[in-house]
Amino acid sequence: MRPDAKVEKVYLYPKPVDFRKSIDGLAALVELDIKVAVFDPVLFVFLNRARNRVKILYWERNGFCLWLKRLEAERFKTSPDQDEAIVLTVQELNWLLDGFDLWRNRPHQVLTPRFVT
């Protein structure tokens, strides 16, 4: 199961999470730290300290779903130190799950110059 295009946003929680937390604990992190309504049509992505596990929490019609992936040999690539949740697209989440380093493969910054120097 992979997220599809119906999802509006994906929030990657920036800090390592204790994976003993389940739905209620992760939902509390969403509301307290990310400050987004947990019932919105979005995915909330959490990584453990070792970055070999990912949990994805989302609301589906009448209940919460919790998705888990454990890597056997590799690590998920994450951004440098961040304090706020990182907004990803569904495609970027799928790339992250496939092992791509989104932060080293970003395109160049878009510039909007005002005049020629």
Side-chain angles (χ1 to χ4, degrees), residues 81-96:
D81 295 330
Q82 290 265 346
D83 288 335
E84 296 183 15
I86 302 159
V87 179
L88 302 175
T89 64
V90 172
Q91 181 63 53
E92 288 172 327
L93 173 61
N94 282 314
W95 288 336
L96 177 73

Side-chain angles (χ1 to χ4, degrees), residues 94-111:
N94 282 314
W95 288 336
L96 177 73
L97 294 173
D98 286 337
F100 291 99
D101 186 341
L102 301 176
W103 291 267
R104 291 198 176 147
N105 292 324
R106 292 268 184 191
H108 290 265
Q109 178 182 358
V110 175
L111 300 177

Side-chain angles (χ1 to χ4, degrees), residues 21-35:
K21 288 185 188 300
S22 191
I23 291 171
D24 295 334
L26 296 174
L29 283 177
V30 167
E31 292 192 338
L32 295 173
D33 285 358
I34 301 176
K35 294 180 176 53

Side-chain angles (χ1 to χ4, degrees), residues 29-86:
L29 283 177
V30 167
E31 292 192 338
L32 295 173
D33 285 358
I34 301 176
K35 294 180 176 53
V36 174
V38 74
F39 303 108
D40 286 352
V42 298
L43 302 177
F44 302 99
V45 180
F46 304 92
L47 295 169
N48 65 343
R49 185 168 306 283
R51 294 188 335 265
N52 66 342
R53 293 179 188 200
V54 63
K55 281 188 176 182
I56 301 175
L57 175 71
Y58 58 98
W59 176 262
E60 186 178 70
R61 294 184 343 192
N62 57 0
F64 283 105
C65 297
L66 187 61
W67 189 83
L68 170 74
K69 180 173 182 174
R70 180 183 74 194
L71 298 179
E72 296 301 323
E74 297 284 332
R75 302 284 181 256
F76 291 106
K77 311 295 189 279
T78 58
S79 73
D81 295 330
Q82 290 265 346
D83 288 335
E84 296 183 15
I86 302 159

